[in-house]
Amino acid sequence: MRALARETRSLSGQLLGIGSPTTLAFNLLTDPVNERLCRQFDSEVANYSHGNWRVAAASGPLDVRHEYHYDAIKAAQNTDIYDDFTHDANMPHGCQVVLVNDGQVMVGLAVLRTYQDGRTTEADRAVFTQAAPLMQSAVRMQRTLEGEGAKLLAGSLDTMNTAAFVCDGLGRVCATTRAGEALLRAEDLIMLRDERLTAPNSAEARELRMQIGAMLQAGDLALPSCGVWLGQQRPIAQRRLCEIFRLPAKPAALGFEPRLLVTVRAAGNIGAMERQALQRMMGLTRAETEIAMLLAEGTSREMIALQRSTSLGTVNIQIKRLFEKTGTNREAELVALINRLLR
């Protein structure tokens, strides 16, 4: 992209993936004048979506658009939010083209020019037009390679009979294990809508979308996983824990590679009689017994609070009481005790 920028006498080259006007799959930008402002744009893309005349100018694949088209769109708009951004970032001019648009994601190529560079000329646009088909072929090849990675990951999980879904950088399911396909066919606890995971229960569907979105936007310091309980209104034996794991991002990936692994597993296999026995042996309340069972299944304190619709502080107090009643000092000791007694 630097070579393309140089040959068109532009400051920057850009390869951009957009899932919707407010969803950015990737944004590869060379040598921006204001890198901090461009990073802010990536993290707050929804704020700049209204009035973004570059997105509005997008046309069919390989149809080059430039300042003439930008001017016509800006004249019809009544907002200057994106104008302010391009002014502060010093990239008001350039030309662009759509390389791929499959209805779910649009990949575009652009060169961006400063006020000092001025508007593109016919010669600049001729060079850009010649390069576009080559970049289109490269993007299609990269997309194929990244998609194959998702299939390989799902295939390896099939050997463990795991209900799992592999999602790309836009949250779209790009590969599914056989056990996962069986869950989807039932449409009982988890479903697929517009290539994305959701749930029949509206509250659980909202939570699932929120957690998947948060994991896709999370930085390197964020927790590597989170989870959502499905079937929360059912008896605990019928509930399922949907866990969402972030996968390592690859340099210069285009958002089609596996970014999330979503697994669905049973809440546990300890029966009602065993639970009652533990409650009697240890003198536990019903709430303490349920929390002990969840801890034994590897559920985090945060997830326990979410499932029980209570605060993390309340759960911490209840776990402290569990330690006192069972004579343990750590969660690992408590879990080991439950497993010895009941499994």
Side-chain angles (χ1 to χ4, degrees):
M1 289 190 293
R2 281 194 175 94
L4 179 60
R6 183 177 63 250
E7 293 301 317
T8 57
R9 305 180 307 114
S10 306
L11 172 72
S12 302
Q14 182 185 39
L15 192 65
L16 182 75
I18 300 175
S20 72
T22 59
T23 304
L24 194 64
F26 60 89
N27 186 10
L28 307 178
L29 180 65
T30 65
D31 308 312
V33 171
N34 191 328
E35 187 173 353
R36 179 195 61 79
L37 190 60
C38 290
R39 285 199 303 269
Q40 178 182 332
F41 175 88
D42 289 353
S43 62
E44 301 176 4
V45 63
N47 296 334
Y48 297 102
S49 62
H50 185 55
N52 187 328
W53 32 264
R54 282 192 166 100
V55 173
S59 185
L62 301 184
D63 182 12
V64 175
R65 315 292 273 183
H66 51 89
E67 293 91 346
Y68 172 82
H69 306 94
Y70 302 158
D71 292 344
I73 294 170
K74 285 190 280 187
Q77 289 183 341
N78 59 359
T79 178
D80 54 8
I81 294 175
Y82 189 69
D83 281 336
D84 291 343
F85 167 74
T86 58
H87 177 273
D88 294 342
N90 194 9
M91 52 181 198
H93 305 305
C95 58
Q96 66 185 57
V97 68
V98 171
L99 300 177
V100 174
N101 189 354
D102 64 0
Q104 291 289 330
V105 63
M106 179 177 70
V107 179
L109 176 70
V111 290
L112 308 177
R113 296 166 69 92
T114 66
Y115 287 102
Q116 294 75 21
D117 294 332
R119 296 162 76 95
T120 58
T121 65
E122 287 187 14
D124 297 327
R125 295 193 291 272
V127 172
F128 184 82
T129 299
Q130 289 179 341
L134 301 177
M135 288 296 294
Q136 183 186 56
S137 297
V139 167
R140 286 174 172 169
M141 177 63 73
Q142 181 70 12
R143 183 175 187 176
T144 299
L145 293 173
E146 292 180 6
E148 287 301 313
K151 294 176 184 176
L152 289 171
L153 177 57
S156 65
L157 292 169
D158 258 332
T159 62
M160 297 182 287
N161 196 31
T162 302
F165 311 90
V166 184
C167 302
D168 64 14
L170 291 173
R172 301 178 304 176
V173 174
C174 48
T176 308
T177 63
R178 286 189 291 271
E181 290 172 353
L183 276 181
L184 292 177
R185 284 194 298 271
E187 291 197 343
D188 184 31
L189 290 170
I190 195 165
M191 305 183 300
L192 207 57
R193 292 291 182 271
D194 297 324
E195 301 185 58
R196 291 167 173 82
L197 292 170
T198 185
N201 180 283
S202 59
E204 293 170 8
R206 256 191 325 270
E207 181 67 18
L208 185 58
R209 285 195 302 270
M210 185 182 73
Q211 295 293 350
I212 287 176
M215 292 298 282
L216 287 172
Q217 297 297 322
D220 293 337
L221 298 180
L223 292 173
S225 67
C226 64
V228 176
W229 278 99
L230 303 176
Q232 295 183 41
Q233 307 304 317
R234 305 181 182 192
I236 191 168
Q238 297 178 20
R239 301 172 192 172
R240 295 294 182 269
L241 178 60
C242 180
E243 294 181 285
I244 306 162
F245 302 89
R246 276 193 307 123
L247 300 173
K250 297 179 181 178
L254 301 186
F256 305 118
E257 86 285 8
R259 294 299 306 276
L260 296 179
L261 175 64
V262 181
T263 64
V264 180
R265 64 178 177 85
N269 57 2
I270 298 177
M273 291 182 61
E274 289 84 355
R275 294 169 189 272
Q276 293 171 5
L278 179 68
Q279 186 173 344
R280 289 195 302 270
M281 281 189 293
M282 300 296 177
L284 307 180
T285 65
R286 177 181 293 182
E288 290 166 348
T289 303
E290 184 171 345
I291 291 171
M293 295 299 100
L294 292 172
L295 288 173
E297 295 299 331
T299 308
S300 69
R301 297 186 183 203
E302 291 79 8
M303 283 301 304
I304 292 173
L306 176 65
Q307 179 188 341
R308 294 180 56 77
S309 301
T310 189
S311 69
L312 180 59
T314 298
V315 171
N316 287 335
I317 291 172
Q318 290 171 311
I319 291 176
K320 184 177 179 180
R321 290 176 183 157
L322 275 171
F323 291 159
E324 294 171 353
K325 291 183 177 182
T326 59
T328 55
N329 296 303
R330 297 181 298 120
E331 285 183 30
E333 293 177 4
L334 175 61
V335 170
L337 174 63
I338 293 171
N339 286 330
R340 284 198 305 270
L341 292 173
L342 304 183
R343 296 189 191 272

